[in-house]
Amino acid sequence: MTMRRQMSYRFEDQDASPMTFRMNRRFSRVESGADLKDYFDRGDIASRENRWNFEVAWEVANKVGGIYTVIRSKAYVSTEEMGEQLCMMGPYKEQCARTEMEEMEFPRGNPLLDAVNALRSRGYKIHTGRWLVDGNPQLILFDIGSAAWKLDQFKLEMWEKCNIGVPHLDIETNDAIILGFMIAEFLEEFRNFAIAYSQNNELSAPRIVAHFHEWQAGVGLIVLRTRLVEIATVFTTHATLLGRYLCAGNTDFYNNLDKFAVDEEAGKRQIYHRYCLERGATHLAHVFTTVSEITGYEAEHLLKRKPDIITPNGLNVKKFSAIHEFQNLHAVAKEKINEFVRGHFYGHIDFDLDKTLYFFIAGRYEFGNKGADIFIESLARLNAMLKHEKPDTTVVAFLIFPTKTNNFNVDSLRGHAVIKQLRDTINNVQQAVGKRMFDTCLKGHIPGPDELLQKDDLVKIKRCMYAMQRDSMPPVTTHNVADDWNDPVLSSIRRCQLFNSVHDRVKMVFHPEFLTSTNPLFGIDYEEFVRGCHLGVFPSYYEPWGYTPAECTVMGIPSVTTNLSGFGCFMQEHISDPKSYGIYIVDRRYIGLENSVQQLTNFMMEFSRLNRRQRIIQRNRTERLSDLLDWRTLGIYYRQARVKALQAVYPDYVDESTLYGSRNNLIFSRPHSEPPSPSSSRHTTPAPSVHGSDEEDSVDEETELKELGMK
């Protein structure tokens, strides 16, 4: 308890600059005057300024979770901006590095090589090269095992300088301690060699900024600051440690944020030492950022510091030369999902696939945090509404959550085998009928039905059809889940009685593993699966950003999100009417759970009422938002964070790039045929469209809204 009090006081006394701003809806626009494309010079200006940028994360070239996606997808724009002045650092994990990294040494005379060799002389194993992703950034990976013999020494320094004690048996934190000290020692050596290199070559003094992601990497930031190394530091938290634990415990999290005794709560969950590391990095960083305003609000109460800048997560957006291209991809991918549905529901295909909608939820298996609980409850209510209002419409709901399984469900595998046998038989009969028809016509007369379809053909077809019969209902899961009775998804499905009966208009498919192209049931990867679906549903309670709805958006797939996710808040801020653009935002913050469930049900029912043309229009409108989520747009906030950190350490630093040309406002240009997308766009389009055309560019705003049934 004494250590907790000491730690709390020490953090309050750190020299982090005071936060004077108030969190508001427009904060992520503060100081944003351009997009990152204005600074794509492959590091030319950074080289002239002798400015270096190091990006540190546990998931650099090490696929663990969502931060890997952030770092990897941002690598291209970061390299276009910084060139060879950028270097990414993380732990060396051989299994991942074998396929992610091309090993090579830095050029002779480069201070990076000198710093690497200095650490190698201490017995550390360090791997250098390039990351095999878009942009090919420079990479330094540290072998944690090579410095494990100094763990006790590192822990002693952490205790003496910060009063943070780390339990011996916490392997993950021990690894983070080792990595942090190795990176801090490397950066200290690099700074010394960079100064010497600059003096020998008559260059300006080096300006170095190190950007640390999450608490595992934050140890390096703490060491740099406590050793008084003159390097600018940025710390980004993508989700607070304590916040994730509290949400998993079914607490009324957001309504009680200001009431939690954070030290006590962290101690109860045996993560106090990790919490101290995260809070220490937060307060010691020159600039502190979070990925969304909702996470900033969380950090303000749990980590006791407001973020300086919000740095939203982006994606590498692939733009299509013609608007119909992504619509064609949707049709192709949907047919592959149709093939799965035919096999999974064999013997019970009593619904029209042309009138079937595919909804899905996917992500880490956090049943409550990801909103799977209210999704299943809303599906049960949607089922009742469809039976009454639209009995010819069927919804197939996919739940993609990886969990422990024993094997594939035999019934599901058998269905796909039966369907394949039927298709092969029909194809053989079709070829035989075609040959007979050709031969008969060649003789000069038209064949009769008995001449075309012979008795043997009918027998083969009947055998296949009888094989498709089954007494049981289609399974709700594609695998045998290890702990079936206690599994939260299956328990909820049982409670709501969504058993895929012939009368149900909502069919359930629980797929407890991630999708890959080698999957024997689907045979498609996750991206193609998303393209083939009609609606992504992500009613998360705890979602610092939300890559799943963002991925839907850039593929032109409408999605449901919440005002407790970073993505949902971002869209509410930048779009005046998100729903008309296929972004349905459920209120999970200001209304009760029952009202949230009803709102989600109404959104899904509203979507189910749309006809095919209306869905095409909506997908076109959704796809327009992709520019909003492109790293070329959102990467500017990371640049602002680095500039602010550099100015805190080097007061004489002036961002030279601002002297070249005027900076544009964060306004997204659009062709005249498009309706207003960002908040700042005009309210009408100048040219009316020809009603009834299926060409997206010929449909104006008023017609689109009328087609979508919206005011």
Side-chain angles (χ1 to χ4, degrees), residues 330 333-334 337 358-360 398 528-536 557 619:
H330 166 74
K334 187 179 75 170
I337 300 176
Y358 297 138
F359 296 177
F360 81 98
F398 295 93
E528 195 172 7
F529 172 79
V530 172
R531 284 196 184 278
C533 288
H534 296 93
L535 182 71
I557 303 301
R619 281 198 296 272

Side-chain angles (χ1 to χ4, degrees), residues 487-499:
D487 183 83
V489 164
L490 295 179
S491 297
S492 190
I493 289 174
R494 291 188 197 102
R495 180 180 57 81
C496 295
Q497 298 185 12
L498 292 170
F499 296 130

Side-chain angles (χ1 to χ4, degrees), residues 277-349:
L277 292 172
E278 182 180 41
R279 188 166 164 182
T282 299
H283 283 261
L284 287 169
H286 295 100
V287 172
F288 171 53
T289 80
T290 62
V291 297
S292 64
E293 289 180 12
I294 196 71
T295 310
Y297 176 68
E298 176 187 335
E300 178 185 350
H301 289 90
L302 299 185
L303 298 177
K304 308 303 180 184
R305 179 177 178 180
K306 292 181 181 180
D308 299 280
I309 293 176
I310 304 296
T311 50
N313 290 334
L315 287 163
N316 280 330
V317 177
K318 178 186 176 184
K319 298 300 289 181
F320 297 99
S321 56
I323 196 68
H324 63 268
E325 286 187 44
F326 82 93
Q327 297 280 11
N328 293 342
L329 288 174
H330 166 74
V332 171
K334 187 179 75 170
E335 182 53 37
K336 293 184 179 181
I337 300 176
N338 285 347
E339 192 64 17
F340 165 82
V341 169
R342 292 186 185 103
H344 189 80
F345 293 93
Y346 79 96
H348 289 272
I349 304 290

Side-chain angles (χ1 to χ4, degrees), residues 69-70 73-74 311-317 545 547 550 554 628-632 634-635 638:
T69 305
V70 177
S73 61
K74 190 169 68 69
T311 50
N313 290 334
L315 287 163
N316 280 330
V317 177
W545 174 246
Y547 257 124
V554 300
L628 205 60
L629 300 170
D630 197 333
W631 272 122
R632 293 170 180 81
L634 299 179
Y638 277 84

Side-chain angles (χ1 to χ4, degrees), residues 139-159:
L139 203 59
I140 302 176
L141 300 182
F142 298 82
D143 189 330
I144 294 171
S146 65
W149 59 280
K150 298 186 73 175
L151 176 60
D152 290 339
Q153 179 183 328
F154 295 155
K155 284 186 175 181
L156 179 62
E157 181 176 337
M158 187 63 69
W159 173 254

